[in-house]
Amino acid sequence: VAMAATRSVMRAVRVFEFGGPEVLKLQSDVLVPVPKENQVLIKVHACGVNPVETYIRSGTYARKPALPYTPGSDVAGVIESVGEHVTAFKKGDRVFTLETVSGGYAEYAVAAANRVFPLPDKLDFRQGAAIGVPYFTAYRALFQKGCAKAGESVLVHGASGGVGLAACQIARACGLKVLGTAGTEEGMNVILRNGAHQAFNHRDPNYMERIKACTGPGGVDIIIEMLSNINLDADLQLLSCAGRVMVVGCRGRIEINPRDTMSKESSIIGVSLFLATEEERHECATAVLDGIEAGWLKPVVGLEYPLEKVAKAHEDIICSSGARGKMVLLL
């Protein structure tokens, strides 16, 4: 009887219980997953770290994976093998993903072939790991949910993080007037280099007044909001008539006066990439790949961590004083 080939093992981060960053356990004896039909196995070179992964890990998020699990959805790497029926990719192709099946904080990850995209040579793996969730989320917030049009104005709150920089680049390329906020001088410089016409420091006590002075009595058409539990009440004061706040991020509750929406017929719209249809994802992917080709989509990589420092990465993405680009794990 032929012996079954022994499956090789890899290093991967595992979560056995929900909790703080300390529940992220790096293990060196995790079996390398095998791609099923319509799946691919990727040798991971870099994996993006997103705030949502910290919410899921803490157990406070609406979507709870079955334990134990490996976090991570945005990987960039090289195709190692493909499952049956996969024709779009072959061993050796450079790719990035929007999500994974087995988890991205690992040396190898399995992903559905329709969530994997070619990574052009002009971008490195670190940049590839900064595309998926941030750019698809920003495109969805601006166009699929926010109905942005050329000539409108957009305020990106927390513009120096992954989603924020993606929103600045996309909005600028599509003809919007782009305002951004950041928490540091460095962050403000980063957003000005990446599409914002004007930058504001959200630590300045008068920054809302400065934004109002900039937009004039008309207000701002769209606000991309990463921290709605802090800013939503003030956002409603900044909007134009028929303006809309796109809620991309939230870390708690907030009290607002609904009358503020009546006076301008403004809207508060939630954004969740998880709810995108196949068609919507395809539209996002087309826009993103076109942007890379045209040259305006240039992911900015911020802090980089080895896999051993994953707990520190989770701590820093929530607690650090100011983002400047996308946080990535390097393998």
Side-chain angles (χ1 to χ4, degrees):
V1 181
M3 290 289 290
T6 53
R7 292 222 358 234
S8 47
V9 295
M10 64 175 181
R11 294 188 311 142
V13 174
R14 302 291 282 161
V15 175
F16 293 91
E17 58 179 328
F18 296 112
E22 70 281 355
V23 303
L24 298 161
K25 306 289 187 202
L26 179 58
Q27 301 198 300
S28 54
D29 57 353
V30 179
L31 285 177
V32 174
V34 175
K36 301 190 173 81
E37 60 175 5
N38 302 316
Q39 294 181 340
V40 299
L41 177 67
I42 300 164
K43 182 171 187 0
V44 178
H45 287 257
C47 181
V49 179
N50 295 295
V52 69
E53 287 147 23
T54 70
Y55 312 151
I56 294 170
R57 181 215 70 227
S58 69
T60 58
Y61 197 64
R63 284 168 61 257
K64 277 198 189 68
L67 295 168
Y69 77 99
T70 295
S73 54
D74 300 336
V75 308
V78 174
I79 298 279
E80 180 73 18
S81 62
V82 301
E84 230 186 322
H85 309 316
V86 174
T87 54
F89 301 102
K90 62 183 185 311
K91 184 177 165 68
D93 287 350
R94 287 163 41 97
V95 294
F96 71 93
T97 68
L98 178 60
E99 56 190 63
T100 66
V101 175
S102 60
Y105 297 7
E107 290 177 323
Y108 291 90
V110 159
N114 64 354
R115 303 285 193 279
V116 177
F117 308 95
L119 179 64
D121 289 336
K122 63 169 84 165
L123 299 181
D124 63 28
F125 291 119
R126 294 153 50 253
Q127 292 173 302
I131 301 172
V133 168
Y135 281 88
F136 280 61
T137 299
Y139 184 87
R140 182 168 180 76
L142 283 163
F143 298 105
Q144 293 177 340
K145 295 292 159 192
C147 304
K149 293 181 181 64
E152 287 192 312
S153 57
V154 60
L155 169 64
V156 183
H157 256 314
S160 61
V163 177
L165 285 167
C168 288
Q169 290 178 0
I170 294 171
R172 180 67 181 252
C174 295
L176 282 91
K177 181 182 181 185
V178 184
L179 314 176
T181 75
T184 63
E185 198 66 39
E186 190 184 358
M188 289 166 68
N189 289 332
V190 169
I191 64 183
L192 288 169
R193 285 199 301 271
N194 284 280
H197 292 89
Q198 276 180 285
F200 304 87
N201 189 330
H202 56 64
R203 294 178 199 284
D204 169 356
N206 298 319
Y207 87 98
M208 286 288 190
E209 297 311 314
R210 292 179 199 277
I211 293 172
K212 279 184 181 154
C214 174
T215 59
V220 67
D221 297 307
I222 301 171
I223 298 177
I224 306 290
E225 184 52 77
M226 315 301 171
L227 203 58
S228 44
N229 53 301
I230 302 291
N231 299 321
L232 187 58
D233 186 51
D235 287 343
L236 295 175
Q237 322 298 320
L238 293 175
L239 286 177
S240 63
C241 273
R244 45 266 186 224
V245 180
M246 313 309 301
V247 177
V248 171
C250 183
R251 297 180 188 171
R253 302 177 70 83
I254 185 171
E255 191 172 308
I256 62 163
N257 184 350
R259 185 165 281 157
D260 292 336
T261 65
M262 295 159 62
S263 58
K264 295 173 179 169
E265 290 194 327
S266 56
S267 309
I268 301 166
I269 302 170
V271 179
S272 172
L273 189 56
F274 299 120
L275 297 178
T277 63
E278 197 59 60
E279 290 76 19
E280 287 172 330
R281 264 194 304 271
H282 180 70
E283 183 194 340
C284 289
T286 305
V288 163
L289 293 168
D290 283 355
I292 295 172
E293 201 178 324
W296 56 255
L297 193 158
K298 286 199 196 77
V300 178
V301 177
L303 296 170
E304 302 173 6
Y305 299 79
L307 212 46
E308 296 76 33
K309 294 277 198 311
V310 63
K312 180 89 174 90
H314 267 225
E315 205 174 302
D316 290 351
I317 199 165
I318 296 301
C319 304
S320 75
S321 59
R324 46 182 188 284
K326 172 74 177 180
M327 186 179 282
V328 297
L329 298 171
L330 297 181
L331 286 96

